[in-house]
Amino acid sequence: MKDIHMRRTDRELLKPEEITDVLSAGTIAQIAFIDGQESYIVTMNYGFSDDPSGLKLYFHCANQGRKIDCIRNNPQVCFTISICDPFTPAAKACGYGMKYRSVVGYGKIRIITDDTERITGLNQLMKQYTGKDSWEYDQEMLKKTTVFCLDVERISGKQRK
């Protein structure tokens, strides 16, 4: 799955568990959609699963809006998740820096229509922030919520210690 070229190979996260650690520690993802002739980037909460069927990121939103239109018109997306650590000062301006870990990935995003898979996606979202992955959902809330899944095709990770 990992075929993204990285210029700074000394900072590359090489082990799958390092990438999973970033996904586990992250709190928001930025997703880049294609909207006609322009990019459209959205910051969203997410949940994820990584099993033999592949890495999947889950998101939710209202039933209408620009994101939904983008997914229907072009499901190919790029995403990033970053964890920023302390800022490191220096004596000279260009010596300043920031410690970080991040991932960048590509894949196709799809609207989930199967109720069982929708619940799975929502449970993964809740697990990301609460640690608990089994919830009951009000049917009225479910009617107002679109859940979508990003099937990750390629991913790479980078860090600065």
Side-chain angles (χ1 to χ4, degrees):
M1 187 185 321
K2 202 164 134 180
D3 62 347
I4 299 172
H5 173 73
M6 187 172 301
R7 183 181 59 85
R8 291 291 307 263
T9 57
D10 60 313
R11 294 185 178 174
E12 186 173 14
L13 299 177
L14 297 170
K15 299 175 185 168
E17 59 269 16
E18 293 174 317
I19 289 176
T20 301
D21 287 347
V22 173
L23 295 171
S24 294
T27 56
I28 58 169
Q30 286 81 34
I31 308 171
F33 296 92
I34 307 276
D35 188 10
Q37 297 298 311
E38 67 181 5
S39 301
Y40 173 55
I41 298 175
V42 185
T43 300
M44 299 189 74
N45 297 105
Y46 70 94
F48 77 97
S49 66
D50 191 10
D51 57 44
S53 69
L55 177 59
K56 298 175 182 345
L57 275 64
Y58 295 95
F59 308 91
H60 76 298
C61 66
N63 288 332
Q64 296 179 356
R66 192 172 179 186
K67 287 184 293 296
I68 301 295
D69 295 340
C70 288
I71 292 168
R72 288 186 175 130
N73 292 325
N74 187 344
Q76 197 68 44
V77 297
C78 177
F79 72 93
T80 186
I81 296 166
S82 301
I83 301 163
C84 296
D85 292 320
F87 188 69
T88 54
K92 294 183 179 183
C94 292
Y96 280 73
M98 181 166 287
K99 296 177 183 179
Y100 64 87
R101 292 177 293 152
S102 65
V103 295
V104 173
Y106 300 85
K108 288 191 178 154
I109 199 162
R110 60 188 166 81
I111 296 170
I112 301 172
T113 56
D114 176 76
D115 286 341
T116 302
E117 189 179 5
R118 290 178 78 227
I119 298 296
T120 297
L122 290 170
N123 280 338
Q124 291 300 333
L125 271 153
M126 293 303 297
K127 179 182 176 187
Q128 186 72 16
Y129 301 95
T130 69
K132 180 181 168 188
D133 65 356
S134 180
W135 294 84
E136 302 254 341
Y137 298 94
D138 177 83
Q139 287 301 311
E140 284 304 308
M141 186 276 308
L142 287 174
K143 288 179 188 176
K144 298 175 185 177
T145 305
T146 295
V147 180
F148 43 101
C149 176
L150 194 169
D151 295 300
V152 178
E153 296 169 347
R154 297 177 290 151
I155 192 167
S156 66
K158 188 174 177 182
Q159 70 180 346
R160 181 172 185 224
K161 295 180 180 183

